[in-house]
Amino acid sequence: LVAQGNAEILYAGVNSAGGEFAQQNIPGAFGIDYQFVNESAIDFFVDAGVNTIRVPFLLERMCPLETGLGRTLNETYFEEFQKAVNYITMQGAYAILDAHNYMRYNDPSMQPFSGSIIGNSSDSSAATTEQLASFWSELATRFVSNPNVIFGIMNEPHDMPTSLVLTNDQAMIDAIRQAGAQQLILVPGNGFTGGHRWLNTTCDLDCAPNSDVLTAIKDPQNNFAFDMHLYFDNDTSGTHEECTLAAPANLVPVTEWLQENNYTAFLSEFGAGANPTCFQTLNNTIKWMEQNPEWIGWTYWAAGPLWG
């Protein structure tokens, strides 16, 4: 992929969604409610030139509700997740560990809006920032020796103070590095981590623009990229078949911000319907990322074993 386009893209692939499915059924049954990968599909993608698979998991399955967010894992769920990650990385591809929880924990039944915001001190049922860091310390320890693992520390935080996103992001980064892991970390922002509104206020709850707040992120390994999403329908929700032609022009402001601050970004979710306008927008967006070295990778939404 890189050679064909003279691209700066280092990582190109798909999401293998499924480990977070049937979130109303906790813990759920493997192969019925959730599943991480289909091995023959992974082989297909790798043979086609894909080198990165994003693998979503659900925190409430990984960390049982009875013990809470932290170091105690559901080993049955983890074992299936580990099998998927190991299969991907043994093919020479990268596996993104994607905590698909919207910076929330304890009730995923109506994602993305249910559950307590992690680190919200005014909610007595909320998991703490320290518990979130403890979880990532444990998970990073388990994958510390696999160089093809990428840490996707949280999917799509939203409707919370951007300062809290920063606090939680920094705690997760610190925990991963203190565990000895040196691999790439993908760092999300507020507002469903939308790249098209990275420089904008995204809600009325002290949601300052990510561009104003997340410059405070520190990584002792200096091995992180900002994790961004973008969909091509009229409200950028990814729920409509028709696309607009707003992209990639709507990525110009954040690309300029990345360049000015010497940052990189990874578009870990983007998607389009199957029609000519969508194909045009999709191709133009991929070309934009190839032509702008601030974008180091992308994973399309979505593939996965339970889509049908």
Side-chain angles (χ1 to χ4, degrees):
L1 291 173
V2 172
Q4 290 172 6
N6 294 320
E8 298 291 337
I9 299 298
L10 303 177
Y11 312 95
V14 296
N15 285 261
S16 181
E20 80 289 17
F21 278 19
Q23 62 268 36
Q24 71 279 6
N25 296 332
I26 303 297
F30 178 75
I32 299 173
D33 295 310
Y34 68 90
Q35 186 176 335
F36 296 105
V37 297
N38 178 304
E39 292 182 358
S40 63
I42 299 302
D43 295 342
F44 168 82
F45 284 119
V46 172
D47 289 346
V50 158
N51 73 350
T52 308
I53 308 291
R54 185 173 181 247
V55 187
F57 65 89
L58 196 61
L59 280 174
E60 289 83 0
R61 288 196 176 118
M62 194 71 81
C63 294
L65 293 173
E66 54 267 28
T67 52
L69 187 59
R71 289 186 175 275
T72 302
L73 305 189
N74 177 334
E75 297 297 341
T76 301
Y77 186 75
F78 173 76
E79 181 180 350
E80 296 295 345
F81 180 70
Q82 184 180 44
K83 285 179 185 177
V85 171
N86 288 346
Y87 190 84
I88 292 165
T89 59
M90 287 175 64
Q91 313 312 307
Y94 294 90
I96 301 174
L97 316 186
D98 166 38
H100 212 80
N101 269 76
Y102 307 89
M103 207 71 91
R104 287 155 169 82
Y105 175 85
N106 70 18
D107 177 14
S109 61
M110 298 294 291
Q111 281 189 344
F113 297 106
S114 60
S116 296
I117 295 172
I118 298 170
N120 180 7
S121 58
S122 65
D123 182 351
S124 61
S125 63
T128 66
T129 299
E130 291 74 20
Q131 288 175 301
L132 179 61
S134 179
F135 163 73
W136 272 108
S137 177
E138 178 66 24
L139 201 64
T141 298
R142 297 189 183 209
F143 289 103
V144 67
S145 62
N146 189 335
N148 280 29
V149 159
I150 296 171
F151 298 111
I153 53 179
M154 187 60 62
N155 178 69
E156 293 191 349
H158 66 89
D159 293 289
M160 54 190 292
T162 309
S163 58
L164 182 53
V165 177
L166 170 64
T167 296
N168 286 340
D169 283 353
Q170 189 63 61
M172 290 185 280
I173 293 169
D174 292 345
I176 290 168
R177 297 307 185 215
Q178 289 164 11
Q182 301 180 18
Q183 299 99 313
L184 177 66
I185 297 175
L186 303 183
V187 180
N190 208 358
F192 296 91
T193 206
H196 57 297
R197 51 183 177 179
W198 199 261
L199 278 66
N200 302 334
T201 299
T202 56
C203 76
D204 297 327
L205 302 173
D206 196 20
C207 296
N210 293 317
S211 57
D212 292 351
V213 176
L214 296 186
T215 53
I217 287 288
K218 305 294 181 186
D219 175 12
Q221 292 290 332
N222 195 30
N223 188 23
F224 74 94
F226 284 109
D227 189 1
M228 300 187 189
H229 293 177
L230 177 65
Y231 287 94
F232 302 141
D233 49 356
N234 60 358
D235 60 359
T236 65
S237 68
T239 60
H240 306 93
E241 286 293 322
E242 298 301 320
C243 296
T244 74
L245 294 174
N250 57 4
L251 291 178
V252 170
V254 71
T255 304
E256 292 176 345
W257 177 83
L258 292 165
Q259 185 176 29
E260 291 166 3
N261 290 278
N262 197 30
Y263 292 137
T264 56
F266 192 116
L267 197 67
S268 67
E269 280 189 31
F270 62 113
N275 57 73
T277 301
C278 289
F279 296 155
Q280 180 181 347
T281 302
L282 178 62
N283 287 336
N284 289 345
T285 300
I286 291 175
K287 288 178 182 177
W288 172 264
M289 288 187 284
E290 291 178 345
Q291 294 165 359
N292 289 273
E294 293 76 27
W295 297 92
I296 63 170
W298 48 261
T299 47
Y300 187 86
W301 184 274
L306 297 177
W307 284 105

